Amino acid sequence: MELIKPGVNVDFVGKMKYAMVLSAILIIIGIGSIIFHGGFNLGIDFAGGSIIQVKFSKNITADQIRASLQSTKLANSTIQQFGVNEFLIRTSESFSDQKILAANVEQPLTAAFNKDYEIRRVEVVGSKVSADFTRKAIIAVIFSWLAILIYVTWRFEFRYAAGGILALVHDTLIVIGAVSVMNMEFTINILAVLIFVIGFSINDTIVTLDRIREIVKRNPRQKLGDIINLAINETLSRTILTSLTVFFTVLALYIFGGPVIRDFAFAMLVGTVVGTYSTVYIACTSVMLFEKLQPSRMKRK
């Protein structure tokens, strides 16, 4: 299926400066938001704490639940409704002990709502576990970047690999920034989105970089800027179709998936758009930038 007719020649390279300014603004806004909020709004996966899922058999509001818990350790907890009369109570307190759970959850809820509720799930993450999880999450993201850098350098050239990694760092920063701007919890689901964005973006990037390499082999004397424009235009139809397929799928999750996965779907939407954008305006144009910076070391294969 050809969404873009052959022969189209959009000057992407000519807009490179504007794209870099836009990217810089988005990254600065994200970093500014993180500083403004005093860091990430870490979920219990990374900060430690408890999640208690409660289902009520009659209509209850979050304010009523919050009022019933005022004299307990859950007084400052976050209460989120999802589904019909079902709530998630998130707290930084650890309720691994059944007696503490009964004193702070079961007894006050029973006093306020009788037995018209059911505790369906209690998840507890200790501080040591969350710290270890945070460390491993950071290592996982960095190692994924390094593995891609090594593979693309071996498969293509270092300038292609550097452009691809630059795009991945760019995508990761913008998704993290968007999460912070929306003041969403940074949970294991958001970490999964970052891994997805890394995979999605590099897959799209590799296709376009490979087309650049093919054209360079055929026309070694042609200007690199013209080659990059040609490669992006030739793969544009495939890029748009792939990205739109993922985008509309995730959009359906965002609209119909409910509050529980809404943050996850939102981050995925941002990652899909940014991953597509970075393939065109960050990864490919970075190849040209690296050649301008170090022309004597570049050798076209």
Side-chain angles (χ1 to χ4, degrees):
M1 181 179 177
E2 287 287 342
L3 191 66
I4 306 296
K5 293 181 179 179
V8 171
N9 184 24
V10 180
D11 182 17
F12 293 101
V13 174
K15 306 295 188 300
M16 182 177 67
K17 292 181 180 177
Y18 301 106
M20 288 186 171
V21 171
L22 175 62
S23 295
I25 291 173
L26 293 175
I27 291 172
I28 289 171
I29 290 174
I31 294 174
S33 174
I34 294 170
I35 295 172
F36 176 78
H37 288 110
F40 295 108
N41 180 16
L42 296 175
I44 68 166
D45 302 315
F46 299 101
S50 306
I51 291 181
I52 303 152
Q53 180 179 339
V54 186
K55 170 74 175 177
F56 291 87
S57 57
K58 60 182 182 181
N59 293 333
I60 297 293
T61 66
D63 288 339
Q64 288 177 284
I65 299 174
R66 188 171 289 107
S68 70
L69 301 174
Q70 280 303 309
S71 60
T72 71
K73 292 183 177 180
L74 290 169
N76 297 318
S77 61
T78 301
I79 301 175
Q80 179 186 14
Q81 182 174 5
F82 71 101
V84 180
N85 295 324
E86 198 152 5
F87 296 84
L88 287 179
I89 303 172
R90 302 173 188 270
T91 175
S92 58
E93 298 289 339
S94 175
F95 289 110
S96 55
D97 190 309
Q98 187 62 36
K99 291 182 179 178
I100 297 177
L101 177 68
N104 289 275
V105 182
E106 295 177 4
Q107 292 176 9
L109 289 182
T110 301
F113 309 109
N114 298 318
K115 292 289 185 180
D116 298 329
Y117 71 92
E118 175 191 358
I119 296 178
R120 293 192 163 183
R121 175 169 60 112
V122 178
E123 290 185 7
V124 180
V125 179
S127 58
K128 289 185 179 179
V129 173
S130 61
D132 185 57
F133 194 75
T134 302
R135 181 178 58 82
K136 289 180 177 177
I138 294 172
I139 290 174
V141 173
I142 293 175
F143 267 79
S144 66
W145 287 345
L146 290 175
I148 292 170
L149 178 67
I150 293 169
Y151 171 74
V152 180
T153 301
W154 168 72
R155 186 69 178 80
F156 298 96
E157 296 175 44
F158 175 74
R159 57 176 168 170
Y160 294 127
I165 292 299
L166 195 61
L168 297 185
V169 174
H170 165 275
D171 298 346
T172 304
L173 289 177
I174 290 183
V175 172
I176 289 175
V179 169
S180 177
V181 168
M182 299 301 291
N183 201 23
M184 293 165 18
E185 276 195 340
F186 197 97
T187 63
I188 190 171
N189 290 336
I190 301 300
L191 176 64
V193 170
L194 295 181
I195 301 296
F196 160 79
V197 171
I198 289 172
F200 173 79
S201 180
I202 197 63
N203 177 60
D204 198 33
T205 300
I206 286 291
V207 172
T208 309
L209 292 180
D210 192 45
R211 185 62 59 90
I212 293 174
R213 190 183 62 160
E214 288 177 1
I215 300 174
V216 167
K217 284 183 178 179
R218 293 200 308 263
N219 307 295
R221 295 185 180 280
Q222 191 173 359
K223 289 182 179 179
L224 187 57
D226 295 337
I227 290 175
I228 292 174
N229 267 334
L230 181 60
I232 295 174
N233 279 287
E234 286 184 354
T235 57
L236 192 59
S237 189
R238 179 253 178 215
T239 299
I240 293 175
L241 285 172
T242 303
S243 300
L244 284 181
T245 301
V246 177
F247 181 85
F248 285 120
T249 303
V250 179
L251 183 63
L253 283 177
Y254 179 78
I255 296 174
F256 304 110
V260 173
I261 63 169
R262 187 153 292 161
D263 289 355
F264 169 80
F266 173 80
M268 287 271 285
L269 285 174
V270 174
T272 303
V273 173
V274 172
T276 306
Y277 160 82
S278 69
T279 295
V280 175
Y281 282 111
I282 302 298
C284 295
T285 51
S286 295
V287 175
M288 193 173 67
L289 185 64
F290 277 110
E291 182 164 278
K292 285 183 178 179
L293 291 175
Q294 296 179 303
S296 60
R297 297 184 183 182
M298 295 300 173
K299 181 183 178 182
R300 295 182 183 180
K301 294 182 178 180

